[in-house]
Amino acid sequence: MVMVSFNVIICGGGLGGLACAIGLKKKGHNVTVLEASSTLSEVGAGIQVPPNSVKILKEYGIFDKFEKLVTRPKNIILRRYDTGAPLSTTPLDPDMTETYGNPYLLIHRADYQRFLLEAATELGITYKTGCRVKEVDPETATVHLESGESYTGDVVVGADGIRSKVRDTAVVTEEVVSPLPSSNCAFRATVPKEEMLSDPVIAHLMTDVNSNCWIGYRRHVMAYPIRNGEMYNIVMSHPGQASVGKWNEPGDVNEMRNHYKTFDPVVRQLLTHVKSVLKWVLADLPKLPRWVSKSGKVVLIGDAAHAMLPYLAQGAAQAIEDGATLAEELDKITSVSEIPTALLSYQKLRKRRPETIQAGARKNGDIWHLPDGEEQEERDALMNARDGHNPDQWSDREFQQWLFGWDAFTSTYPKA
Ligand SMILES: Cc1cc2nc3c(=O)[nH]c(=O)nc-3n(C[C@H](O)[C@H](O)[C@H](O)COP(=O)(O)OP(=O)(O)OC[C@H]3O[C@@H](n4cnc5c(N)ncnc54)[C@H](O)[C@@H]3O)c2cc1C
């Protein structure tokens, strides 16, 4: 129950900012989202939605609409890059629901964003596009836009991604926090359902619904159907460089195919159907000294606070968890003067979890990208063993429980 309604300004209307807006609006706050882009991004790429974020969508009461847009994979299958032989299979549907109470889903990023925007605007949040944040004054909680306009609230949320202006101008001001580009880039592409089904070598990828991931030296291909089976999504991680934070640089299709010339014939056949690719560098952030400004009025969520490599598919999920916990902590106070206490409490409850996942994602990348040899053979034997510790953290029972079992509203693990 809301005792007081705060004016909250969220900088950045990506997945994290929009979900946070929904969480705060449902608690009765006045929410304005300032988004730099003038239109909703239609970047053609899939995203995995793990049980820990499905839980939040359900709690917000918006899951039913969302469910119509998703695909439910049966398993995540890690495969040897050159033969396609399965190395490790993580059962997803119905196992995730049985174990964690919520399913593991796949969705088109643009559908996810559109759905969250619709839900947020139906609830009555104000969403302003073409509002590029230049800087934030942490003392007055005032957001200054490049256009010259300003907005002042009781609290400012920085949800403006890996190159956050909110972080750099109001939260961590003593040094420039540069994103850490990894040595890998990702190509992203989609193939329409009809084209997939017309080719007998790859049709099974569409009809036998799984997340497949072929792992090899410094490269992998992660692929799965999205948009309720309307298209096939392919993410191809490989050594290379692109601009940090740019999600839509065109890539070279021949270069892309060349990167995977030693891969499973099924992958190579799949890639013959790719007409164009986008690429971006995979980068993360170092641990930040704080997520809350010294004034106690500005707070970071999502990639602005803890951008991570995608090797555990948790970046957006963690951004969504941040918003849920932030709304709970603000709900515990009754006056504007207590906002710094609520924000620090949010930081205390949250900071370590995404930072652990950041490190876990780096580690998973290293494990997936081993060269062939003794270490890779040991890894494969452990992955196949099925009991005990699995070097792929996604499949490791203990890590999985920690990752997917979290309740961001109570910041606890529900009792079994
Ligand atoms: C290849 C790849 C695959 C991934 N797969 C998954 C996955 O399967 N599952 C998962 O959970 N995560 C995944 N992620 C991570 C996920 O995409 C991010 O963690 C997530 O998008 C972060 O959301 P965000 O809202 O914090 O930031 P962003 O998505 O970066 O959104 C930031 C928003 O702020 C806006 N903005 C930026 N600067 C300004 C400014 N100055 N003023 C106003 N607005 C501004 C931007 O336009 C954008 O709308 C993947 C990432 C990559 C690179």
Side-chain angles (χ1 to χ4, degrees), residues 77-87 204 212-216 260-268 372 376 379-380 384:
I77 307 172
L78 292 191
R79 297 178 180 277
R80 192 170 153 75
Y81 70 98
D82 55 353
T83 62
L87 300 172
H204 66 283
N212 280 298
C213 187
W214 290 261
I215 58 174
Y260 301 98
K261 63 178 184 229
T262 59
F263 270 53
D264 183 357
V266 171
V267 172
R268 282 186 277 142
D372 277 353
Q376 160 267 325
R379 175 200 69 187
D380 293 357
N384 264 315

Side-chain angles (χ1 to χ4, degrees), residues 300-318:
L300 302 176
I301 68 165
D303 275 15
H306 50 67
M308 56 188 70
L309 299 177
Y311 305 140
L312 284 172
Q314 276 283 330
Q318 290 308 305

Side-chain angles (χ1 to χ4, degrees), residues 163-349:
R163 291 187 301 177
S164 169
K165 284 278 190 248
V166 180
R167 178 184 69 229
D168 293 349
T169 61
V171 179
V172 183
T173 51
E174 65 271 37
E175 64 174 293
V176 178
V177 180
S178 304
L180 306 170
S182 76
S183 54
N184 271 39
C185 267
F187 288 122
R188 308 200 73 158
T190 52
V191 179
K193 173 174 91 175
E194 296 71 27
E195 193 153 344
M196 293 291 295
L197 294 178
S198 70
D199 184 335
V201 179
I202 58 170
H204 66 283
L205 297 174
M206 215 55 201
T207 50
D208 188 18
V209 179
N210 290 301
S211 266
N212 280 298
C213 187
W214 290 261
I215 58 174
Y217 179 46
R218 301 184 75 195
R219 290 168 179 77
H220 72 260
V221 173
M222 165 74 83
Y224 45 81
I226 50 171
R227 225 167 229 168
N228 218 352
E230 285 303 310
M231 55 172 70
Y232 199 68
N233 176 68
I234 315 161
V235 183
M236 294 152 273
S237 176
H238 63 281
Q241 286 304 309
S243 318
V244 173
K246 280 201 181 163
W247 291 53
N248 50 1
E249 272 183 51
D252 184 297
V253 174
N254 291 325
E255 184 199 328
M256 176 274 288
R257 289 191 189 125
N258 204 34
H259 270 291
Y260 301 98
K261 63 178 184 229
T262 59
F263 270 53
D264 183 357
V266 171
V267 172
R268 282 186 277 142
Q269 183 67 12
L270 173 65
L271 298 187
T272 63
H273 291 270
V274 171
K275 309 281 185 315
S276 64
V277 283
L278 298 173
K279 70 170 183 178
W280 59 82
V281 72
L282 301 174
D284 64 6
L285 283 178
K287 273 187 195 179
L288 302 186
R290 71 192 73 83
W291 288 4
V292 177
S293 66
K294 289 182 178 162
S295 67
K297 295 178 184 174
V298 185
V299 63
L300 302 176
I301 68 165
D303 275 15
H306 50 67
M308 56 188 70
L309 299 177
Y311 305 140
L312 284 172
Q314 276 283 330
Q318 290 308 305
I320 287 167
E321 282 192 4
D322 289 343
T325 306
L326 179 61
E328 289 304 316
E329 293 317 294
L330 284 170
D331 201 39
K332 291 178 184 161
I333 60 170
T334 53
S335 68
V336 169
S337 63
E338 292 173 281
I339 286 176
T341 311
L343 299 192
L344 286 175
S345 174
Y346 153 80
Q347 175 179 279
K348 189 161 191 286
L349 289 169

Side-chain angles (χ1 to χ4, degrees), residues 11-18 34-37 46-50 53 104 109 112-113 127 131-134 145-146 159-166 186 188 224 235 247 280-283 301-304 306-310 312-319 394:
C11 303
L15 298 173
L18 286 169
L34 303 173
E35 164 57 40
S37 318
I47 188 160
Q48 310 191 45
V49 189
S53 45
Y104 196 107
R109 181 183 283 273
Y112 200 177
Q113 187 133 345
Y127 184 81
C131 293
R132 185 166 289 280
V133 174
K134 187 173 160 211
L145 302 184
E146 282 189 352
D160 51 343
I162 190 166
R163 291 187 301 177
S164 169
K165 284 278 190 248
V166 180
R188 308 200 73 158
Y224 45 81
V235 183
W247 291 53
W280 59 82
V281 72
L282 301 174
I301 68 165
D303 275 15
H306 50 67
M308 56 188 70
L309 299 177
L312 284 172
Q314 276 283 330
Q318 290 308 305
W394 238 329

